[in-house]
Structure formats: C-alpha cells, structure tokens
Amino acid sequence: MIRLRQIKLNIDHDNQNDLLKKVAKKLQISENDIKNIVISKRSIDARKKDNIVISYEVDIQVNDENKVLNSICNKDIFIAPNEVYTYHLSGTKSLKNRPVIVGFGPAGMMCAYMLSKCGYKPIIIERGSMVDKRVKQVENFWETNKLNPNSNVQFGEGGAGTFSDGKLNTLVKDKEYRQKFIFETFVKNGAPKEIMYDAKPHIGTDILKSMVKNIREEIISMGAEFMFDTTLTNIILKNNELEAIEINNKTIIPCQVLVLAIGHSARDTFRMLYKNKLEMKNKPFAVGIRIQHDQEKINYSQYKDSYQKLPPASYKITYQTKSNRGVYSFCMCPGGYVVNSSSVDKMLVINGMSNYKRDTTNANSALIVTVSENDYGKNILDGLKFQEKLEETAYKIGNGLIPVQLYKDYKNNIISSEFKSVKPVFKGNYSFANINDIFPKYINDSLIEAIEHFGKIIPCFNEDDAILSAVESRTSSPVRIIRDENLESNIKGIYPCGEGAGYAGGITSAAIDGLKIFEKIIAKYKN
Ligand SMILES: Cc1cc2nc3c(=O)[nH]c(=O)nc-3n(C[C@H](O)[C@H](O)[C@H](O)COP(=O)(O)OP(=O)(O)OC[C@H]3O[C@@H](n4cnc5c(N)ncnc54)[C@H](O)[C@@H]3O)c2cc1C
C-alpha cells in the first residue's frame, strides 16, 4: 500500500468521490488505477476559522506501486509501514496455578484478552457486577442516591471507563502498535470503525456497554473464567512471594501470578496492599470542579460560522497561575453529562460522560488544579486522604447530592438560587451549595484566575451563568505502586497494572499497560 499524508478537503466534501479525485490528482494517475483506499488518519484543521478543512492520511492500493512511487518525489507519499502488533511466547517457567487478574477495566481487560488468546485460561475477579446488572445499579443510584459501594460508576464490568465519553486519546508513545491492536479489538467487538483513524476518537457510553460484554464473551470462549461481585480482600505471602489470594474475606485461591488492575478508586484495596508492605509512593494529581456551557457557544468559538457542518467541538486549555499553579481542562465531554461517579458512602465525586452522538445541549469539562505532597503531606496514602476529605465535604454541603453553583455566585462566594441561560445536564441529583467551602483557598483562587483567563480564549467560558459542580477528585491515582523492569512489584508474582497502579491515565493508556503486563508474563511463564 502507498500512504499519502496531508490530503486536505473542504468541510462540504463528499467522502469517497472527492477523496478519490484528490488522491488520483496527487499521484498523477487516473482514478481507475486506484484499486482501494483506506483512511488511516482524519482530523479537523480549524486553525484558519474562515477556511476549516478536513485533513486525511490514506493508504491506497494501485495497479503498479513502484511505477507510481518512482514517478513522484514527495515526502508525504511513501510505502505504508507494516503496523502489526507482535508478541512472543518465550516463557519457560511453569505455572502451578492459573494467572489471576483483579479488575476488568481496560487494563485488566486487554491483559485477560491476550492471556486467554494464548491459552493461559486466566481467572478474572471483578468486585462489581456484569455490565447489564451494573447499568441498572448505576441508574438506580442516579435516581435514588442509594449507592452500591461495590458496583457503581467506578466499579464493575468494563471498569471506570464504561460510563464515560469513551475518549480514546492518549499521549503514550507506542512504537509497538499496541494502540492499533487495541482499537482493532474494540472495533471487532462493536466500537465505531472511525476510532481507527479519527484524531480524537471516542466511543460513547451507549456503545461501550455492549462492546465490553462482547469482549467478555470472546474471552470466555477462549477458556477464561470470570468471578463478578467478587472482591480481592487479602494476599497471602511466603518469603515475600505471592502464594495465594483471599476473596470476599473468606475464600482462598492459590495464585503465583496476580495482575493488579484495580483502578484509582480501590481505596480499601490500596490500604490492604500497603499493610502487606507492597511498596508504593505518593504521586501528584489534580483536583477541581466541572464547568458546563452551552455547546453551541463552544462550537461557535471553535469553528465560527462553519460549526453547523461539524461535530460538537471540544477544547483543551491550560493556564499557570501567578502563584505558579497549573490549572487545566480535563476529560472534556462535548454534548455530554456531568455524572455522580461516587463509590464510597457519604463521599461525593463527579466526572463527565456522553453517548456516541454527543447530543445533549451542554459541553462540560473538568477544570483541575495540580496538587502534590507539599499540599497534602508526605506520608504514603496522604494524597488519598486529601481526596477523601474533599469528597466528604462535597457530600455534606450538597446534602448527599451534587453541589452546584453559577460561576458568578462562586466568584461572589454566595449560594445560587436558580439556573439562568445555561440549563443543567446531569446524571444524578444535585442541589445548590457554595463550592468555595469544599476547597482550600489556593484552589478556589487558582480556579477563578484561570476561568477569567480562559474567557479570553473562549468568549463564553467565564460567563456568569456557567454551571459549576464538584468535586472532581479522581483525575488519576494518588499513588504509584513500585514495579521493576519485569513490571513485577517488590512482592514476587504481583504485577501492578493500569491507572490504579499509577502507570496510566485514561482508557487507552490503561489498555496499553495491560498489554505490557501480558508481554512480561508470557516472557517468563509458559502456558
Ligand atoms: C465517569 C468517568 C468518565 C471517564 N471518561 C474517560 C474518557 O472519556 N476517556 C478516557 O480515556 N478515560 C476516561 N475515564 C478514565 C478511565 O475510565 C480510566 O482511566 C480507565 O478506566 C482506567 O483503567 P484501569 O483498567 O486501569 O482501571 P479501572 O477502569 O478503574 O478498572 C479497575 C477495576 O478494578 C475493579 N476492582 C478494584 N478493586 C478491586 C478488588 N479489590 N477486587 C476486585 N476488583 C476490583 C473495579 O471494580 C474496576 O472495575 C473516565 C472515568 C470515569 C469514572
């Protein structure tokens, strides 16, 4: 295949025909000589607001590749690389027991998928319920505020990402084509095909639910076993090596290889592991609020008059305060919802989600301020305690509901009484409260300073009627579990994996880390 980059088409173009014409012209060949076109990248180039274009990278099959390539000298035209994920079953050590994976979020999922594919028949333990049951539990929580601490927006089949925007962007550099393989696996199980080439790929909660189920069924068909509503409650060691695990505070399962893909919210499990002397350290993270604006205004600010011809717009903005604090937008959800994503009784945390179509009236995003040991203390788990304190306060001031406030009132430190031009879009009940009461002064000051600055970039950003809600405290794991070059912890046999272990931030990077752990296990153990 020949790869062509930088194919620019105006936003009104007809996908297939105009692309074919443009490619043939660029290669100076007839359209009939082109046997096949595959889009490998697509992005919206909105740098010139009065001339927004769609930029493509395509792989094409032609009758005589060498003749075409020899007749053209252009850095944007070359032989398409062979982008295939490969792995090697080189392990020689025997496994006495089946490997166990704790957590069926993206990290545990991809590790389980590949260990099953290679015949290791893993056991997957997940404290939350299967996705269909989980969906009912979460919807019930959003309606009644009755939380199931083991099966909720953070915990359950598919992990934290199931009720999300399903944005798949990542900053992870991936020379081994793990990401491509992960996306192919997602598409094979129901994800939209454009995630393979969109610059900002997303799936949406409505599709994620069925995709996760399909992947589970494929993993079972390859010999693995699932234990849902099952919690890892302890580890049993001998000479600092894993010998067995305890589940649900009673059952013991002999185990030599344990993949710990527990996510950033498994606080009881972090405490159990810390008590068992699993080495970990504090890791900086960020906390803050979520802000909602009218999506149409965001579309206009990003695309001007062309916005009606383009999908809902997103934004990514950062700011350094005068007191040197980083404030940035995080997990922006165009046409989405702000959701109550709590997982602990009497603690309240929020996040954002959207469906594939991103078709609500509001744009929302987290606005978060970086915090570190200097802010919350140097003892291990102090970061976690800092999160808990913020979430307890959020729960209290909202009377168990999501605390909300208009931006103008937040600045004036008063409780709002009604919404104005921006209408609330939430999953979970909310109540007016003074969000200033949740945070230390340096966080409130940083947020206001940043929002005023962002208003210079996106005109509606600091409008009085913007809706704030809190608290966004689980932006990444507050700890990193130490692992060596074989990705094993200080306790032999335990493989810390994904976001909870502090090696990922987001669906794709967690899934990539799951594959890295899979590769280390098959390099050591034979199936
Ligand atoms: C509402 C929401 C929206 C999000 N939106 C996005 C987005 O659009 N894009 C993006 O990239 N990221 C998003 N994220 C973050 C993303 O979901 C996580 O980064 C990702 O899921 C981390 O994957 P993981 O497999 O490491 O952990 P998780 O997905 O957190 O999975 C860990 C699993 O382990 C289980 N577990 C924990 N403790 C135990 C135990 N003791 N025993 C048994 N099982 C246990 C949990 O139940 C959970 O299912 C969102 C998160 C939330 C909550």
Side-chain angles (χ1 to χ4, degrees), residues 101-109 125-129 134 150-170 202 205 208 227 230-233 247 260-270 272 290 330-333 339-341 350-354 358 472 474-475 497-501 504-511:
I101 297 165
V102 181
F104 195 60
M109 185 189 293
I125 291 177
E126 172 47 64
R127 69 190 303 164
S129 304
R134 185 187 177 196
N150 273 320
S151 198
N152 46 58
V153 172
Q154 305 288 348
F155 298 154
E157 181 169 25
T162 306
F163 299 89
S164 82
D165 183 23
K167 279 181 293 302
L168 300 176
N169 317 53
T170 179
H202 91 280
T205 291
L208 276 164
M227 302 169 84
T230 304
T231 303
L232 171 76
T233 46
I247 53 172
L260 266 181
I262 56 174
H264 58 28
S265 292
R267 295 173 175 163
D268 52 353
T269 315
F270 284 130
M272 176 274 283
R290 232 166 227 272
F330 175 77
C331 192
M332 193 265 170
C333 295
V339 300
N340 188 332
S341 57
I350 59 171
N351 207 307
M353 117 186 184
S354 64
R358 291 173 157 174
E472 181 99 16
R474 311 218 190 141
T475 53
C497 179
E499 181 162 53
I507 295 168
T508 302
S509 60

Coordinates of all heavy atoms in Angstrom, one line a residue, residues 101-109 125-129 134 150-170 202 205 208 227 230-233 247 260-270 272 290 330-333 339-341 350-354 358 472 474-475 497-501 504-511, ligand 1:
I101 N -6.4 -12.1 37.4 CA -6.4 -10.7 37.0 C -7.5 -10.1 37.9 O -8.6 -10.5 37.9 CB -6.7 -10.5 35.5 CG1 -5.6 -11.1 34.7 CG2 -6.9 -9.0 35.2 CD1 -5.9 -11.3 33.2
V102 N -7.1 -9.1 38.7 CA -8.1 -8.4 39.5 C -8.4 -7.1 38.9 O -7.6 -6.2 38.6 CB -7.5 -8.1 40.9 CG1 -8.6 -7.4 41.8 CG2 -7.1 -9.4 41.6
G103 N -9.7 -7.0 38.5 CA -10.2 -5.7 37.8 C -10.4 -5.9 36.3 O -9.5 -6.3 35.6
F104 N -11.7 -5.7 35.9 CA -12.0 -5.8 34.4 C -12.2 -4.5 33.9 O -13.3 -4.2 33.2 CB -13.1 -6.8 34.2 CG -13.2 -7.3 32.8 CD1 -12.2 -8.0 32.2 CD2 -14.4 -7.0 32.1 CE1 -12.3 -8.4 30.9 CE2 -14.5 -7.4 30.7 CZ -13.4 -8.1 30.1
G105 N -11.3 -3.5 34.1 CA -11.3 -2.3 33.4 C -10.4 -2.5 32.2 O -10.0 -3.6 31.9
P106 N -10.2 -1.4 31.4 CA -9.4 -1.5 30.2 C -8.1 -2.3 30.3 O -7.7 -3.1 29.5 CB -9.2 -0.1 29.7 CG -10.2 0.7 30.4 CD -10.6 0.0 31.6
A107 N -7.4 -2.0 31.5 CA -6.1 -2.7 31.7 C -6.2 -4.2 31.9 O -5.6 -5.0 31.2 CB -5.4 -2.0 32.9
G108 N -7.1 -4.6 32.9 CA -7.3 -6.0 33.1 C -7.9 -6.7 31.9 O -7.6 -7.8 31.6
M109 N -8.8 -5.9 31.2 CA -9.5 -6.5 30.0 C -8.5 -6.9 28.9 O -8.5 -8.0 28.4 CB -10.4 -5.4 29.5 CG -11.3 -5.9 28.4 SD -12.2 -4.5 27.7 CE -13.3 -4.1 29.1
I125 N -11.2 -11.6 38.4 CA -12.0 -11.2 39.6 C -12.4 -9.7 39.4 O -11.6 -8.9 39.2 CB -11.1 -11.4 40.8 CG1 -10.9 -12.9 41.0 CG2 -11.8 -10.8 42.0 CD1 -10.0 -13.2 42.2
E126 N -13.7 -9.5 39.6 CA -14.2 -8.1 39.5 C -15.2 -7.8 40.6 O -16.2 -8.6 40.7 CB -14.9 -7.9 38.1 CG -15.6 -6.6 37.9 CD -14.8 -5.4 38.3 OE1 -13.8 -5.1 37.7 OE2 -15.3 -4.7 39.2
R127 N -14.9 -6.8 41.4 CA -15.8 -6.6 42.6 C -17.2 -6.1 42.2 O -18.1 -6.3 42.9 CB -15.1 -5.5 43.5 CG -15.1 -4.1 43.0 CD -14.2 -3.2 43.8 NE -14.6 -3.1 45.2 CZ -13.8 -2.6 46.1 NH1 -12.6 -2.2 45.8 NH2 -14.2 -2.5 47.4
G128 N -17.3 -5.5 41.0 CA -18.6 -5.0 40.6 C -19.4 -6.1 39.8 O -18.9 -7.2 39.5
S129 N -20.6 -5.7 39.3 CA -21.4 -6.7 38.6 C -21.2 -6.7 37.1 O -20.5 -5.8 36.6 CB -22.9 -6.3 38.9 OG -23.2 -6.3 40.3
R134 N -25.0 -3.9 36.2 CA -24.4 -2.7 36.7 C -25.1 -1.5 36.2 O -25.3 -0.5 36.9 CB -22.9 -2.7 36.2 CG -22.0 -1.6 36.7 CD -20.7 -1.6 36.0 NE -19.9 -0.5 36.5 CZ -18.8 0.0 35.8 NH1 -18.4 -0.7 34.7 NH2 -18.1 1.0 36.3
N150 N -19.9 -1.4 45.8 CA -19.0 -2.3 45.0 C -19.4 -2.4 43.6 O -18.7 -3.0 42.8 CB -19.1 -3.7 45.6 CG -18.1 -3.9 46.7 OD1 -17.0 -3.5 46.6 ND2 -18.5 -4.6 47.8
S151 N -20.5 -1.8 43.2 CA -20.9 -1.8 41.8 C -21.6 -0.5 41.5 O -22.7 -0.2 41.8 CB -21.9 -3.0 41.5 OG -21.9 -3.2 40.1
N152 N -20.8 0.4 40.7 CA -21.2 1.8 40.6 C -20.5 2.3 39.3 O -20.0 1.6 38.5 CB -20.9 2.6 41.8 CG -19.5 2.2 42.3 OD1 -18.5 2.4 41.6 ND2 -19.4 1.7 43.6
V153 N -20.3 3.6 39.2 CA -19.7 4.2 38.0 C -18.2 3.9 38.0 O -17.6 3.8 36.9 CB -19.9 5.8 38.0 CG1 -19.1 6.4 36.9 CG2 -21.4 6.1 37.8
Q154 N -17.6 3.7 39.2 CA -16.1 3.3 39.2 C -15.9 1.8 39.1 O -14.9 1.4 38.6 CB -15.5 3.9 40.5 CG -15.7 5.3 40.8 CD -14.9 6.3 39.9 OE1 -14.0 5.8 39.2 NE2 -15.3 7.5 39.9
F155 N -16.7 1.0 39.7 CA -16.5 -0.4 39.9 C -17.5 -1.2 39.1 O -18.7 -1.0 39.2 CB -16.6 -0.8 41.4 CG -15.6 -0.1 42.3 CD1 -16.0 0.0 43.6 CD2 -14.4 0.3 41.9 CE1 -15.1 0.6 44.5 CE2 -13.5 0.9 42.7 CZ -13.8 1.1 44.1
G156 N -17.0 -2.2 38.4 CA -17.9 -3.2 37.7 C -17.3 -3.5 36.3 O -16.3 -3.0 35.9
E157 N -18.0 -4.4 35.6 CA -17.5 -4.9 34.3 C -17.3 -3.7 33.4 O -18.1 -2.8 33.2 CB -18.5 -5.8 33.7 CG -18.0 -6.3 32.4 CD -18.8 -7.5 31.8 OE1 -20.0 -7.6 32.1 OE2 -18.2 -8.2 31.0
G158 N -16.0 -3.6 32.9 CA -15.6 -2.6 32.0 C -14.8 -1.5 32.7 O -14.2 -0.6 32.1
G159 N -14.9 -1.5 34.0 CA -14.1 -0.5 34.8 C -14.7 0.9 34.8 O -15.9 1.1 34.4
A160 N -13.9 1.8 35.2 CA -14.4 3.2 35.3 C -14.8 3.8 34.0 O -15.6 4.7 33.9 CB -13.3 4.0 36.0
G161 N -14.2 3.3 33.0 CA -14.5 3.9 31.6 C -15.8 3.5 31.0 O -16.2 4.1 30.0
T162 N -16.5 2.6 31.6 CA -17.8 2.2 30.9 C -18.8 3.3 30.8 O -19.5 3.5 29.8 CB -18.4 1.0 31.7 OG1 -17.4 0.0 31.8 CG2 -19.6 0.4 31.0
F163 N -18.9 4.1 31.9 CA -19.8 5.2 31.9 C -19.0 6.5 31.6 O -18.7 7.3 32.5 CB -20.6 5.3 33.3 CG -21.4 4.1 33.6 CD1 -20.8 3.1 34.3 CD2 -22.7 4.1 33.2 CE1 -21.6 1.9 34.5 CE2 -23.5 2.9 33.4 CZ -22.9 1.9 34.1
S164 N -18.6 6.6 30.4 CA -17.7 7.7 30.1 C -18.0 8.3 28.7 O -18.9 7.8 28.0 CB -16.2 7.2 30.2 OG -15.9 6.6 29.0
D165 N -17.2 9.2 28.3 CA -17.3 9.8 27.0 C -16.6 8.8 26.0 O -16.8 8.8 24.8 CB -16.6 11.1 27.0 CG -16.7 11.8 25.6 OD1 -17.6 11.5 24.9 OD2 -15.8 12.7 25.3
G166 N -15.8 7.9 26.7 CA -15.1 6.9 25.9 C -14.1 7.6 24.9 O -13.8 7.1 23.8
K167 N -13.5 8.7 25.4 CA -12.5 9.3 24.6 C -11.3 8.4 24.6 O -10.9 7.9 25.7 CB -12.1 10.7 25.2 CG -13.0 11.9 24.9 CD -12.5 13.1 25.5 CE -12.5 13.1 27.0 NZ -13.9 12.8 27.4
L168 N -10.6 8.2 23.5 CA -9.5 7.3 23.4 C -8.2 7.9 23.2 O -7.2 7.2 23.0 CB -9.8 6.2 22.4 CG -11.1 5.4 22.5 CD1 -11.3 4.5 21.3 CD2 -11.1 4.6 23.8
N169 N -8.1 9.2 23.3 CA -6.9 9.9 23.1 C -5.8 9.5 24.1 O -6.2 9.2 25.3 CB -6.9 11.4 23.2 CG -8.1 12.0 22.6 OD1 -9.2 11.6 22.8 ND2 -7.9 13.0 21.7
T170 N -4.6 9.5 23.8 CA -3.5 9.2 24.7 C -2.3 9.9 24.3 O -2.0 10.0 23.1 CB -3.3 7.7 25.0 OG1 -2.2 7.5 25.9 CG2 -2.9 7.0 23.7
H202 N -13.6 8.6 19.9 CA -14.4 8.4 21.1 C -15.5 7.3 20.8 O -15.9 7.1 19.6 CB -15.0 9.7 21.6 CG -16.4 9.9 21.1 ND1 -16.6 10.5 19.8 CD2 -17.6 9.7 21.6 CE1 -17.9 10.6 19.6 NE2 -18.5 10.2 20.7
T205 N -20.8 6.1 25.9 CA -21.2 5.1 26.9 C -22.2 4.1 26.3 O -22.1 2.9 26.6 CB -21.9 5.8 28.1 OG1 -20.9 6.5 28.8 CG2 -22.6 4.8 29.1
L208 N -20.1 1.6 24.5 CA -19.1 0.9 25.4 C -19.7 -0.3 26.1 O -19.1 -1.3 26.3 CB -18.6 1.9 26.4 CG -17.4 2.8 26.0 CD1 -17.3 4.0 26.9 CD2 -16.1 2.0 25.9
M227 N -15.2 -14.0 37.7 CA -15.9 -14.0 39.0 C -16.3 -12.6 39.3 O -15.5 -11.8 39.7 CB -15.0 -14.6 40.1 CG -14.5 -16.0 39.8 SD -13.1 -16.4 41.0 CE -14.1 -17.0 42.4
T230 N -17.1 -10.0 43.1 CA -16.0 -10.7 43.9 C -14.9 -9.8 44.1 O -14.3 -9.3 43.2 CB -15.5 -12.0 43.1 OG1 -16.6 -12.8 42.8 CG2 -14.5 -12.8 43.9
T231 N -14.5 -9.6 45.4 CA -13.5 -8.6 45.8 C -12.3 -9.3 46.3 O -12.4 -10.2 47.2 CB -14.1 -7.6 46.8 OG1 -15.2 -7.0 46.3 CG2 -13.1 -6.5 47.2
L232 N -11.1 -8.8 45.8 CA -9.8 -9.2 46.4 C -9.7 -8.5 47.8 O -9.7 -7.3 47.9 CB -8.7 -8.8 45.5 CG -7.3 -8.9 46.2 CD1 -6.8 -10.4 46.1 CD2 -6.2 -8.0 45.5
T233 N -9.7 -9.3 48.8 CA -9.6 -8.7 50.2 C -8.3 -8.9 50.9 O -8.1 -8.3 51.9 CB -10.8 -9.3 51.0 OG1 -10.8 -10.8 50.8 CG2 -12.1 -8.8 50.6
I247 N -10.5 -13.9 48.7 CA -11.6 -13.1 48.0 C -12.8 -13.0 49.0 O -13.1 -14.0 49.7 CB -12.0 -13.6 46.7 CG1 -12.3 -15.1 46.7 CG2 -10.9 -13.4 45.6 CD1 -12.9 -15.7 45.4
L260 N -2.7 -6.8 39.2 CA -3.4 -5.9 40.0 C -3.9 -4.7 39.1 O -3.2 -3.7 39.0 CB -2.5 -5.3 41.1 CG -2.5 -6.0 42.5 CD1 -1.6 -5.2 43.4 CD2 -3.9 -6.0 43.1
A261 N -5.1 -4.8 38.5 CA -5.6 -3.8 37.6 C -6.8 -3.2 38.3 O -7.9 -3.2 37.7 CB -5.9 -4.4 36.2
I262 N -6.6 -2.6 39.4 CA -7.7 -2.2 40.3 C -8.2 -0.8 40.2 O -9.2 -0.4 40.8 CB -7.3 -2.4 41.8 CG1 -6.0 -1.7 42.1 CG2 -7.2 -3.9 42.1 CD1 -5.7 -1.7 43.6
G263 N -7.6 0.0 39.3 CA -8.1 1.4 39.1 C -7.8 2.3 40.2 O -7.2 1.9 41.3
H264 N -8.1 3.6 40.1 CA -7.7 4.6 41.0 C -8.6 4.8 42.2 O -8.4 5.6 43.1 CB -7.5 6.0 40.3 CG -8.7 6.5 39.6 ND1 -10.0 6.2 40.0 CD2 -8.8 7.3 38.5 CE1 -10.8 6.9 39.2 NE2 -10.1 7.5 38.3
S265 N -9.7 4.1 42.2 CA -10.7 4.3 43.3 C -10.8 3.2 44.4 O -11.5 3.3 45.3 CB -12.1 4.5 42.7 OG -12.1 5.7 42.0
A266 N -9.9 2.2 44.2 CA -10.0 1.0 45.1 C -9.2 1.3 46.4 O -8.2 0.6 46.8 CB -9.4 -0.2 44.4
R267 N -9.7 2.2 47.2 CA -9.0 2.7 48.4 C -8.9 1.6 49.5 O -7.8 1.4 50.1 CB -9.7 3.9 49.0 CG -9.7 5.1 48.0 CD -10.5 6.2 48.4 NE -10.3 7.3 47.5 CZ -11.2 8.3 47.5 NH1 -12.2 8.4 48.2 NH2 -11.0 9.3 46.6
D268 N -9.9 0.8 49.7 CA -9.8 -0.3 50.7 C -8.7 -1.3 50.2 O -7.9 -1.7 51.0 CB -11.1 -1.0 50.8 CG -11.7 -1.5 49.4 OD1 -11.1 -1.1 48.4 OD2 -12.7 -2.2 49.4
T269 N -8.6 -1.5 48.9 CA -7.5 -2.4 48.4 C -6.1 -1.8 48.5 O -5.2 -2.5 48.9 CB -7.8 -2.8 46.9 OG1 -9.2 -3.1 46.8 CG2 -7.0 -4.0 46.5
F270 N -6.0 -0.5 48.2 CA -4.7 0.1 48.4 C -4.3 0.0 49.9 O -3.1 -0.3 50.2 CB -4.8 1.6 48.1 CG -4.9 2.0 46.6 CD1 -5.8 2.8 46.1 CD2 -3.9 1.4 45.7 CE1 -5.9 3.1 44.8 CE2 -4.0 1.7 44.4 CZ -5.0 2.6 43.9
M272 N -5.1 -2.3 52.1 CA -4.8 -3.7 52.4 C -3.4 -4.0 51.8 O -2.5 -4.6 52.5 CB -5.8 -4.6 51.7 CG -5.6 -6.1 51.8 SD -4.5 -6.7 50.5 CE -5.6 -6.8 49.1
R290 N -16.3 20.8 37.8 CA -16.6 20.6 36.4 C -17.4 21.8 36.0 O -18.2 22.4 36.8 CB -17.5 19.3 36.2 CG -16.9 18.5 35.1 CD -17.4 17.1 34.9 NE -16.3 16.2 34.8 CZ -15.7 15.9 33.6 NH1 -16.2 16.4 32.5 NH2 -14.7 15.1 33.6
F330 N -9.8 19.0 31.6 CA -9.5 17.6 31.7 C -10.8 16.8 31.4 O -11.9 17.2 31.8 CB -9.0 17.2 33.1 CG -8.8 15.8 33.3 CD1 -7.7 15.1 32.9 CD2 -9.7 15.0 34.1 CE1 -7.5 13.8 33.1 CE2 -9.5 13.7 34.3 CZ -8.4 13.0 33.8
C331 N -10.7 15.8 30.5 CA -11.8 14.9 30.2 C -13.0 15.8 29.8 O -14.1 15.7 30.4 CB -12.2 14.1 31.4 SG -13.3 12.7 31.0
M332 N -12.8 16.6 28.7 CA -13.9 17.4 28.2 C -14.9 16.6 27.5 O -14.5 15.7 26.7 CB -13.3 18.5 27.2 CG -14.2 19.6 26.9 SD -15.0 19.2 25.3 CE -16.3 20.5 25.3
C333 N -16.2 16.8 27.8 CA -17.2 16.0 27.2 C -18.2 16.8 26.3 O -19.1 17.5 26.9 CB -18.0 15.2 28.2 SG -17.0 14.0 29.2
V339 N -21.7 13.6 35.7 CA -22.3 12.4 36.4 C -21.8 12.3 37.8 O -20.7 12.6 38.1 CB -22.0 11.1 35.6 CG1 -22.6 11.1 34.2 CG2 -20.5 10.8 35.6
N340 N -22.7 11.8 38.7 CA -22.3 11.5 40.0 C -21.6 10.1 39.9 O -22.2 9.1 39.6 CB -23.5 11.3 41.0 CG -23.1 11.2 42.4 OD1 -22.0 10.6 42.7 ND2 -24.0 11.6 43.3
S341 N -20.3 10.1 40.2 CA -19.5 8.9 39.9 C -18.9 8.4 41.3 O -17.8 7.8 41.3 CB -18.4 9.2 38.9 OG -17.5 10.3 39.4
I350 N -17.5 13.6 41.2 CA -18.2 13.7 39.9 C -17.2 13.4 38.7 O -16.0 13.4 38.9 CB -18.8 15.1 39.7 CG1 -17.8 16.2 39.7 CG2 -20.0 15.3 40.6 CD1 -18.3 17.6 39.3
N351 N -17.8 13.2 37.5 CA -17.0 13.0 36.3 C -17.9 13.4 35.2 O -19.0 13.9 35.3 CB -16.4 11.6 36.2 CG -15.1 11.5 35.5 OD1 -15.1 12.0 34.3 ND2 -14.1 10.9 36.0
G352 N -17.4 13.2 34.0 CA -18.2 13.5 32.8 C -18.4 12.3 31.9 O -17.7 11.3 32.0
M353 N -19.5 12.3 31.2 CA -19.8 11.2 30.3 C -20.6 11.7 29.1 O -21.2 12.8 29.1 CB -20.5 10.0 31.0 CG -21.8 9.7 30.5 SD -22.8 8.6 31.4 CE -24.1 8.6 30.2
S354 N -20.6 11.0 28.0 CA -21.5 11.3 26.9 C -21.8 10.0 26.1 O -21.1 9.0 26.2 CB -20.9 12.4 26.0 OG -19.8 11.9 25.4
R358 N -23.1 12.4 21.3 CA -22.7 13.7 22.0 C -23.8 14.7 21.7 O -23.5 15.8 21.2 CB -21.4 14.1 21.5 CG -20.2 13.3 22.0 CD -18.9 13.7 21.4 NE -17.8 13.2 22.1 CZ -16.5 13.3 21.8 NH1 -16.2 13.9 20.6 NH2 -15.5 12.9 22.5
E472 N -14.3 17.1 41.4 CA -13.6 16.2 40.5 C -12.3 15.9 41.2 O -11.4 16.7 41.2 CB -13.4 16.9 39.2 CG -12.7 16.1 38.1 CD -13.7 15.4 37.1 OE1 -14.8 15.9 37.0 OE2 -13.2 14.5 36.4
R474 N -10.9 12.5 41.3 CA -10.3 11.2 40.9 C -9.8 11.3 39.4 O -10.2 10.6 38.6 CB -11.2 10.1 41.0 CG -11.9 10.1 42.4 CD -12.1 8.7 43.0 NE -13.0 8.9 44.2 CZ -13.9 8.0 44.5 NH1 -14.1 6.9 43.7 NH2 -14.6 8.2 45.5
T475 N -8.9 12.3 39.3 CA -8.3 12.5 37.9 C -7.2 11.5 37.5 O -7.0 11.3 36.4 CB -7.8 13.9 37.9 OG1 -6.9 14.1 38.9 CG2 -8.9 15.0 38.0
C497 N -0.7 -2.8 37.6 CA -1.1 -2.6 36.2 C -2.1 -1.5 36.0 O -3.0 -1.3 36.9 CB -1.7 -3.9 35.6 SG -2.2 -3.7 33.9
G498 N -2.0 -0.6 35.0 CA -3.0 0.4 34.7 C -3.0 1.6 35.5 O -2.0 2.0 36.2
E499 N -4.2 2.3 35.6 CA -4.3 3.6 36.2 C -4.1 3.5 37.7 O -3.4 4.3 38.3 CB -5.6 4.2 35.9 CG -5.8 5.6 36.5 CD -6.9 6.4 35.8 OE1 -8.0 5.9 35.7 OE2 -6.6 7.5 35.3
G500 N -4.7 2.5 38.4 CA -4.6 2.4 39.8 C -3.2 2.3 40.3 O -2.8 2.8 41.3
A501 N -2.4 1.6 39.5 CA -1.0 1.3 39.9 C -0.1 2.5 39.6 O 1.0 2.6 40.0 CB -0.5 0.1 39.2
A504 N -0.9 4.7 34.2 CA -1.8 5.1 33.1 C -2.7 6.2 33.5 O -2.9 6.4 34.7 CB -2.6 3.8 32.6
G505 N -3.3 6.9 32.5 CA -4.3 7.9 32.8 C -5.2 7.9 31.6 O -4.9 8.5 30.6
G506 N -6.3 7.1 31.7 CA -7.2 7.1 30.6 C -7.4 5.7 30.1 O -6.6 4.8 30.4
I507 N -8.4 5.5 29.2 CA -8.8 4.1 28.7 C -7.7 3.5 27.9 O -7.2 2.4 28.1 CB -10.1 4.2 27.9 CG1 -11.3 4.7 28.8 CG2 -10.4 3.0 27.2 CD1 -12.5 5.1 28.0
T508 N -7.2 4.3 26.9 CA -6.2 3.7 26.0 C -4.9 3.4 26.7 O -4.3 2.3 26.5 CB -6.0 4.6 24.8 OG1 -7.3 4.8 24.2 CG2 -5.0 4.1 23.8
S509 N -4.4 4.3 27.5 CA -3.1 4.1 28.2 C -3.2 2.9 29.2 O -2.2 2.2 29.3 CB -2.5 5.4 28.8 OG -3.4 5.8 29.8
A510 N -4.4 2.8 29.8 CA -4.6 1.7 30.7 C -4.5 0.4 29.9 O -3.9 -0.6 30.3 CB -5.9 1.8 31.5
A511 N -5.2 0.3 28.8 CA -5.3 -0.9 28.0 C -3.9 -1.2 27.4 O -3.5 -2.4 27.4 CB -6.2 -0.7 26.8
Ligands
LIG1 C1 -17.2 8.8 34.6 C2 -15.8 8.6 34.0 C3 -15.5 9.0 32.7 C4 -14.3 8.8 32.1 N1 -14.1 9.2 30.8 C5 -12.9 8.9 30.2 C6 -12.8 9.1 28.8 O1 -13.6 9.6 28.2 N2 -11.6 8.7 28.3 C7 -10.6 8.1 29.0 O2 -9.5 7.8 28.4 N3 -10.7 7.9 30.3 C8 -11.9 8.2 30.9 N4 -12.0 8.0 32.3 C9 -10.9 7.3 33.0 C10 -10.8 5.9 32.6 O3 -12.0 5.3 32.8 C11 -9.7 5.2 33.4 O4 -8.5 5.8 33.2 C12 -9.6 3.7 33.0 O5 -10.8 3.1 33.1 C13 -8.5 3.1 33.9 O6 -8.5 1.7 33.5 P1 -8.0 0.6 34.6 O7 -8.3 -0.7 33.9 O8 -6.6 0.9 35.0 O9 -8.9 0.8 35.9 P2 -10.5 0.8 36.0 O10 -11.2 1.1 34.8 O11 -10.7 1.8 37.1 O12 -10.9 -0.7 36.5 C14 -10.5 -1.2 37.7 C15 -11.5 -2.3 38.0 O13 -11.0 -3.0 39.2 C16 -12.0 -3.4 40.0 N5 -11.5 -3.6 41.3 C17 -11.0 -2.6 42.1 N6 -10.6 -3.1 43.3 C18 -10.9 -4.5 43.3 C19 -10.8 -5.5 44.2 N7 -10.3 -5.4 45.4 N8 -11.3 -6.8 43.8 C20 -11.8 -7.0 42.6 N9 -12.0 -5.9 41.6 C21 -11.5 -4.7 42.0 C22 -13.0 -2.2 39.9 O14 -14.3 -2.6 40.2 C23 -12.9 -1.8 38.4 O15 -13.8 -2.4 37.6 C24 -13.3 8.2 32.9 C25 -13.5 7.7 34.2 C26 -14.8 7.9 34.7 C27 -15.0 7.4 36.1

